[in-house]
Amino acid sequence: MKFQCSACGLRINAKHFKQTGLLNPKLTSICDLCIQRGEAPENFANIAVKVFAQCLLFTFVGKDDDSESPTLLIAKNDLRKRYEAFIQDYDGNELAQQQLSVHNFNQAVIDSETGQTDFVPSSEFTFAENLSKLGLNVDFKLNEVDYIDRERIRAKYHYRCQYCGRRGRSVDHKDPVSLSHNNDFDNLILSCTECNRIKSNMPYKLFVSLNNEIPEVNHKLVKYEDALATLKGEFEEKRRELAAKMHLKGVVNDPELDQMRKQNKKLQDAIDSLESDYNDLRSLREQHFMTGWKLAQVNTKEDII
């Protein structure tokens, strides 16, 4: 959920308007950036925040009278959108939040808004580039596992994904490197490309817990992979045999060649059908993980509700 700040005019995540209270949380009429800038919430009205605070039995800090329309600090709509997008990038990036405090990030935005820094974040640049141009440094490349350690992990697990059992070459961090910064050998495990992608920044314990709920699905995926490898190997062998026969005969159309093409067509049909079933199961498995991850995030997400 988002609110519009009555001081700067930015429409940003509602958490920027929430403060911890002695008994109940407080919702303020202006965002935390404006409060850090020195503005007082008591001088601004915000009907949306006020009504929401009453609904949640939170304390509202702001003016009751909403008849005045104060001049917004960021008057131009295109500038507000640029700052809103930049702040949203920070709010959704755990790696940046770990290395850069909210106070320092807010100050950089404030310096840009007030002209003390001669740069305004832009969609023309990546989030990392925008941070750098504002004098903020975040290391987005924390994976420093060298080639030898990667090969040791692959050999240790015999090129088998330790999550689903399929063939794999991706060296995965049990505790995501973006969260733990841990490149130690004990924190490394082997996975397939698919499991590595699905796991992403998901905590290791949660991923393993969700994975343990579907052992039969993983077992079927291994069988699908093995069956497809066999069929595709047979198809390639038949295709090479057909090409060799055509070369020796010096013709394209021939009863023997036509029979070989029919056999290859049957193999291809079987491969296509099996791949379709395989991909359906992979999709269902990924949904299982994504649903579990989203539910876990909802339970820990900082929000006004």
Side-chain angles (χ1 to χ4, degrees):
M1 184 175 183
K2 295 181 179 180
F3 290 133
Q4 184 175 27
C5 176
S6 295
C8 65
L10 295 183
R11 187 172 179 272
I12 52 182
N13 193 293
K15 70 180 183 179
H16 290 278
F17 298 80
K18 182 181 178 182
Q19 294 182 342
T20 302
L22 294 177
L23 296 176
N24 292 326
K26 299 178 181 180
L27 292 182
T28 57
S29 60
I30 60 178
C31 67
D32 56 351
L33 286 93
C34 288
I35 293 175
Q36 185 170 326
R37 189 186 292 111
E39 300 289 349
E42 294 83 355
N43 297 331
F44 297 86
N46 195 319
I47 185 63
V49 177
K50 178 182 177 182
V51 171
F52 213 88
Q54 291 173 343
C55 176
L56 296 178
L57 301 179
F58 288 178
T59 300
F60 172 66
V61 183
K63 288 174 61 177
D64 290 330
D65 183 11
D66 201 16
S67 58
E68 298 181 7
S69 298
T71 301
L72 299 176
L73 175 66
I74 308 175
K76 294 183 178 180
N77 187 52
D78 61 327
L79 283 180
R80 290 202 299 269
K81 288 186 179 298
R82 290 166 71 172
Y83 285 118
E84 288 167 358
F86 182 58
I87 293 170
Q88 182 174 311
D89 283 343
Y90 175 77
D91 289 344
N93 194 300
E94 294 182 359
L95 195 56
Q97 292 173 30
Q98 289 172 7
Q99 300 179 52
L100 184 62
S101 71
V102 173
H103 182 275
N104 289 343
F105 176 81
N106 285 354
Q107 191 59 52
V109 174
I110 292 168
D111 291 344
S112 174
E113 291 173 344
T114 56
Q116 295 184 47
T117 301
D118 188 21
F119 177 75
V120 176
S122 171
S123 59
E124 296 178 1
F125 303 104
T126 65
F127 178 48
E129 289 171 336
N130 279 322
L131 287 171
S132 178
K133 289 178 182 294
L134 287 174
L136 302 173
N137 296 314
V138 174
D139 184 4
F140 290 98
K141 298 179 180 179
L142 299 175
N143 190 340
E144 300 175 351
V145 182
D146 61 31
Y147 175 78
I148 294 177
D149 280 345
R150 290 180 184 277
E151 287 302 310
R152 287 175 62 196
I153 291 294
R154 289 167 183 149
K156 176 181 178 180
Y157 294 110
H158 307 289
Y159 292 83
R160 283 286 173 180
C161 175
Q162 296 303 293
Y163 300 125
C164 69
R166 286 173 290 177
R167 298 175 184 86
R169 291 183 54 86
S170 297
V171 176
D172 179 50
H173 291 77
K174 295 179 181 178
D175 292 322
V177 67
S178 60
L179 303 179
S180 67
H181 304 183
N182 182 1
N183 288 293
D184 293 344
F185 200 75
D186 291 341
N187 192 42
L188 303 178
I189 199 170
L190 195 68
S191 75
C192 62
T193 302
E194 184 173 297
C195 285
N196 197 332
R197 175 181 57 80
I198 293 173
K199 180 174 174 287
S200 186
N201 283 342
M202 193 184 304
Y204 176 71
K205 288 183 178 179
L206 175 60
F207 188 82
V208 170
S209 176
L210 293 171
N211 194 51
N212 288 340
E213 295 175 3
I214 51 172
E216 289 302 320
V217 171
N218 291 330
H219 186 58
K220 286 183 178 180
L221 289 177
V222 174
K223 285 190 172 183
Y224 271 119
E225 183 182 63
D226 290 343
L228 280 169
T230 300
L231 284 172
K232 288 180 178 180
E234 182 68 18
F235 178 81
E236 286 301 315
E237 183 178 337
K238 295 293 184 184
R239 187 183 62 80
R240 289 192 295 269
E241 184 180 345
L242 175 60
K245 288 280 187 181
M246 289 173 58
H247 178 72
L248 290 174
K249 286 178 175 285
V251 295
V252 175
N253 295 317
D254 175 89
E256 183 183 6
L257 298 180
D258 289 342
Q259 182 61 31
M260 293 177 68
R261 290 191 182 97
K262 289 180 180 179
Q263 292 177 351
N264 282 5
K265 179 63 168 60
K266 291 180 180 179
L267 280 172
Q268 186 62 63
D269 288 344
I271 291 171
D272 291 342
S273 177
L274 194 62
E275 278 191 330
S276 177
D277 293 342
Y278 179 45
N279 290 335
D280 286 344
L281 188 60
R282 290 168 58 202
S283 178
L284 286 172
R285 179 177 183 267
E286 182 170 355
Q287 290 176 28
H288 167 74
F289 284 108
M290 292 302 99
T291 300
W293 180 215
K294 287 179 180 179
L295 288 173
Q297 288 177 310
V298 167
N299 291 333
T300 58
K301 183 180 179 182
E302 291 186 5
D303 205 343
I304 60 172
I305 297 180

